[in-house]
Amino acid sequence: MQIYLNGRPAACREGETVLEVARREGVRIPTLCEFAALNHRPGTCRMCLVDVTTASGRQTLATACTSAVEDGMRVDTRSERVRRARRLQAELLFADHCERCSGCARHGRCELQRAAEETGLDLSRLSGRLTDRTTVDRSAPALVFTADKCIRCLRCVEVCRQVQGVSAITFEGTGCASSVGFDGGLWGDSDRCVQCGQCSLVCPTGAIAVKDETDRFLDYLADPDVVTVVQIAPAVRMAFAEAAGAPAGRNLEGEIVAGLKKLGADFVCDTRWSADVTILEEGTELLHRLEHSEGRVDTMFTSCCPGWINHVEKSHPDLFPHVSSTRSPQAIFGALAKTYLPRVKKLDSAAIRVVSIMPCTAKKDEAARPQLAREGVADVDLVLTVRELERLFRTQGIDPLAIDPAPFDSPFMTEASGAAQLFATTGGVMEAALRTVCALAGSPRALPLRFEPVRGLAGVKEARVETERFGELRVAVVHGLKNLGPVLDCVREGRSPWHFVEVMACPGGCIGGGGTARGDNWTRTLPVRQRMVYEEDDRLAVKRSDENPDVAALYRDYLGRAGSDLAHELLHTDYEN
Ligand code: HC1
Ligand code: SF4
């Protein structure tokens, strides 16, 4: 079967759309609402109009995303009629669009701007004329919704429903007053949204955007009395490249450190260090549960993903007793940066501001949790996502592709194991925990360092591991909240066969977090980023968290042992209260 694309023959298969064939042939057709990875083709933006002449001679303008190919069909993607029709569509989209481009989070990276450019739209006669939606909703902890930037593509509705199974976003209003919304209320009042930010990854405009807090970081840097301690999450080095214009997955760790140092950060440290601490605390907790379960399976869930914690809090609070009390690596880093670091470096704790660079929007929410503050002072003062970091570098004239890489600059809180690097991807916290727990529960020499069944991108993964002390351990790994339902049902109904379950809210885990650089997330980007994570684990000399010498020094010089009273005071929490 073949069609003719702009006069050239193109082979195709029954059931394919014109858009799919055009993409394969490298023929550009603009789209705004379509999102292939979600199978989302509402045909509402009408930017993909093409001129179609069927074999029988019928000529029509049709949307390429919804038109199936027919043998002998002739498709013109750039005729005068097509260009005029697309320009009119772009003009209509701008009729109720606020067009405050210069202050928009997506300025220069907006799909609507690109469509306007591609269609040759100069000055819209209708620009902003029909705007009837002026809400700017800043009530959510990490994300902002601007109604008159919404072009009603419904990608956010679909990702929240199909990938997260949360369905927090609804379509509201009629005519020019319609847009997406949150059950008729404010976003911050949603009893479902977990602040994962997946909606902000797929939004084609700046309608759903991360709350930009880069100015606060600049204020800290400008204050001579403030000591800035920056931590960089495990996934950030793999999830920044596309934002900087580099190929997906390129590890830009040294460049990010160098850029932050150039901006004037006092300490640039590695969250992987506190991920190793997390494993010691969480592993000790798991061993304790195994010792006291009296033959029952007492399932424990990981606790490091704040989207997951929000989900438990909002939708499954009865499961909190199954959630590990160990704080996330971000929160552990914050607590130790304000207690241990001042001791080691002779600093005034009150002068320290901890700034996290995270792939995750929900980490902003986590940092603001009252449970993670001591005497009313937050351990983590500010969280910037990968996209905010890219904007910060851009506005401050730092080109991460032109800067010489620099190492983390403190001898403390920086050393990391390969296990800690694995945190960045789904299955990684589990693999890191298994390396240490299996070593502590028997026969470390017989253990494989790689736990293949928890690797890869399958939505639910399971593994069984033999230990001398506890016999067979059964574990499960889930990413993408939509995949959670059956696992939670098993635990709630007492049928769970799993001793330990890792949950990451976002597809792929942190490498697919809602604050990462935009890529083609579920198809091309995630496998590439995940491969880079495994390669970094292979490269690092220390493989197990309990073998990290920096972490051993922390316990020897400060905390005592894993699970000690001080460790509990600083490194654990109770999300139920
Ligand atoms: Fe994650 Fe974690 S791995 S949650 O994905 O446990 O964000 O990268 O920082 O805290 O370490 C995110 C990543 C991150 C925590 C760690
Ligand atoms: Fe849905 Fe996540 Fe967006 Fe909330 S942040 S609306 S849960 S996709």
Side-chain angles (χ1 to χ4, degrees), residues 143 156 159-160 164 166-169 182 187 192-200 208 361:
L143 297 152
C156 57
V159 78
C160 192
Q164 299 301 57
V166 171
S167 296
I169 313 186
F182 306 91
W187 199 345
R192 284 187 293 233
C193 173
V194 301
Q195 295 292 290
C196 68
Q198 288 298 311
C199 47
S200 75
I208 291 182
T361 46

Side-chain angles (χ1 to χ4, degrees), residues 181-423:
F182 306 91
D183 270 339
L186 288 173
W187 199 345
D189 294 335
S190 168
D191 58 6
R192 284 187 293 233
C193 173
V194 301
Q195 295 292 290
C196 68
Q198 288 298 311
C199 47
S200 75
L201 272 182
V202 299
C203 178
T205 70
I208 291 182
V210 171
K211 206 173 255 183
D212 191 306
E213 297 183 282
T214 49
D215 273 358
R216 267 179 65 207
F217 186 43
L218 293 173
D219 289 344
Y220 290 160
L221 293 173
D223 188 336
D225 296 327
V226 162
V227 177
T228 46
V229 181
V230 182
Q231 60 169 323
I232 298 175
V236 165
R237 61 213 89 201
M238 282 92 194
F240 182 80
E242 298 97 314
R250 184 166 150 196
N251 187 335
L252 290 175
E253 174 185 299
E255 289 81 354
I256 294 169
V257 174
L260 289 162
K261 290 296 293 175
K262 193 164 180 203
L263 283 176
D266 295 300
F267 295 94
V268 183
C269 304
D270 196 345
T271 313
R272 296 185 305 190
W273 173 81
S274 50
D276 278 330
V277 180
T278 296
I279 288 299
L280 289 190
E281 293 298 323
E282 202 163 65
T284 303
E285 218 185 318
L286 180 62
L287 290 171
H288 185 80
R289 277 195 194 235
L290 290 168
E291 276 158 10
H292 295 87
S293 59
E294 292 162 355
R296 289 175 302 115
V297 173
D298 181 13
T299 303
M300 184 171 95
F301 287 104
T302 56
S303 56
C304 51
C305 168
W308 156 236
I309 294 296
N310 287 345
H311 190 55
V312 178
E313 192 166 62
K314 291 190 170 182
S315 304
H316 307 282
D318 58 308
L319 293 178
F320 262 130
H322 289 278
V323 176
S324 160
S325 68
T326 303
R327 292 180 179 206
S328 75
Q330 156 170 273
I332 285 183
F333 183 95
L336 293 171
K338 291 199 173 171
T339 52
Y340 176 59
L341 189 68
R343 238 170 96 114
V344 177
K345 289 279 185 185
K346 309 277 177 283
L347 296 167
D348 173 13
S349 175
I352 291 176
R353 296 291 177 275
V354 175
V355 179
S356 308
I357 312 293
M358 292 280 143
C360 170
T361 46
K363 284 284 174 196
K364 287 179 184 274
D365 197 12
E366 177 186 282
R369 275 185 173 273
Q371 300 98 337
L372 300 179
R374 278 167 305 113
E375 291 165 19
V377 179
D379 281 335
V380 173
D381 297 279
L382 175 63
V383 177
L384 299 181
T385 60
V386 166
R387 297 202 297 278
E388 286 167 277
L389 180 69
E390 182 277 327
R391 180 169 173 270
L392 182 72
F393 280 177
R394 193 159 30 100
T395 57
Q396 299 307 308
I398 289 173
D399 180 354
L401 300 184
I403 200 166
D404 286 336
F408 288 108
D409 66 348
S410 161
F412 306 95
M413 307 178 77
T414 56
E415 205 52 55
S417 71
Q421 180 58 65
L422 291 175
F423 268 61

